[in-house]
Amino acid sequence: MRRIDLEAQLEQHHEAAFGWALSCCDRDRPMAEDVLQATYLKVLDGRAVFRERSSFKTWLFAVIRRTAAEQRRRRAILRFVPLARLEGRVERRSTAPDPEAVLVSTERTAQLVAALDKLPSRQREVLHLVFYQELSVAESAEVLGVSVGTARTHYERGKSRLRTLLEEPERS
């Protein structure tokens, strides 16, 4: 795929890609931004190559997921680096309103987020891909690197558990 075509595809899927990156990064916005930037660099410099075995979106989401896992491993290693080595590192802050903070502002959304956090990660990932990213269960399986049957099982169990969690009265 030509670079101009790649750029157009990345631009077309940017909003959904950022949502998936947020999910892969446990809603850590700075980490999601870093993951997305690293993903785009991989795509544009040819380290991640789209071979047209799936849709571009499915392939891109798989690259984002792998990049997020790499970032988590890298951050785990950095915890052991002495702070003196990190001197001079500048923290950048976005001045734009945080879309997630706006989203979580409603009570029902906050309940949904809390319930999603109680699900096992694989169930949460499949539900996110199907409901927020509008991928099929089969495409979600491809993104996650599991069989369709496994993804379907996580999807059904996740929906069932989420329904139960949302119906439970809040405990004080």
Side-chain angles (χ1 to χ4, degrees):
M1 190 179 267
R2 296 178 331 181
R3 183 179 176 97
I4 194 151
D5 296 333
L6 284 172
E7 289 174 358
Q9 287 286 335
L10 291 174
E11 187 174 332
Q12 177 184 349
H13 295 292
H14 177 72
E15 191 173 322
F18 185 66
W20 177 237
L22 274 171
S23 179
C24 291
C25 298
D26 296 325
R27 294 186 300 280
D28 178 335
R29 186 180 177 90
M31 183 177 176
E33 290 169 349
D34 291 345
V35 164
L36 202 55
Q37 180 179 10
T39 299
Y40 288 175
L41 288 173
K42 284 180 183 180
V43 170
L44 294 172
D45 71 12
R47 287 179 287 144
V49 179
F50 178 56
R51 302 201 193 285
E52 300 183 26
R53 295 182 190 144
S54 63
S55 73
F56 184 84
K57 183 177 180 180
T58 301
W59 171 79
L60 177 63
F61 280 26
V63 175
I64 291 169
R65 185 171 185 267
R66 285 191 302 274
T67 304
E70 292 166 3
Q71 290 275 10
R72 282 192 299 276
R73 283 191 296 275
R74 202 171 295 123
R75 286 179 181 215
I77 291 169
L78 283 177
R79 280 188 230 153
F80 300 106
V81 175
L83 289 177
R85 288 177 139 182
L86 299 177
E87 282 182 14
R89 183 173 172 187
V90 177
E91 176 107 9
R92 56 184 163 81
R93 299 261 182 215
S94 173
T95 57
D98 183 355
E100 185 185 3
V102 173
L103 182 67
V104 176
S105 65
T106 66
E107 183 178 322
R108 188 69 180 156
T109 302
Q111 291 170 345
L112 177 61
V113 169
L116 283 167
D117 284 344
K118 293 178 183 175
L119 295 178
S121 63
R122 188 57 52 90
Q123 290 176 9
R124 190 172 51 248
E125 289 173 335
V126 171
L127 291 175
H128 179 93
L129 289 168
V130 171
F131 290 109
Y132 291 108
Q133 303 303 334
E134 299 177 357
L135 296 181
S136 67
V137 173
E139 290 170 323
S140 299
E142 195 169 327
V143 168
L144 299 174
V146 298
S147 72
V148 174
T150 298
R152 188 170 288 116
T153 298
H154 287 298
Y155 173 73
E156 292 300 332
R157 288 180 182 169
K159 279 193 327 184
S160 175
R161 180 69 179 131
L162 191 58
R163 190 176 299 115
T164 301
L165 289 169
L166 291 173
E167 290 172 353
E168 289 178 358
E170 196 171 313
R171 296 180 187 139
S172 304

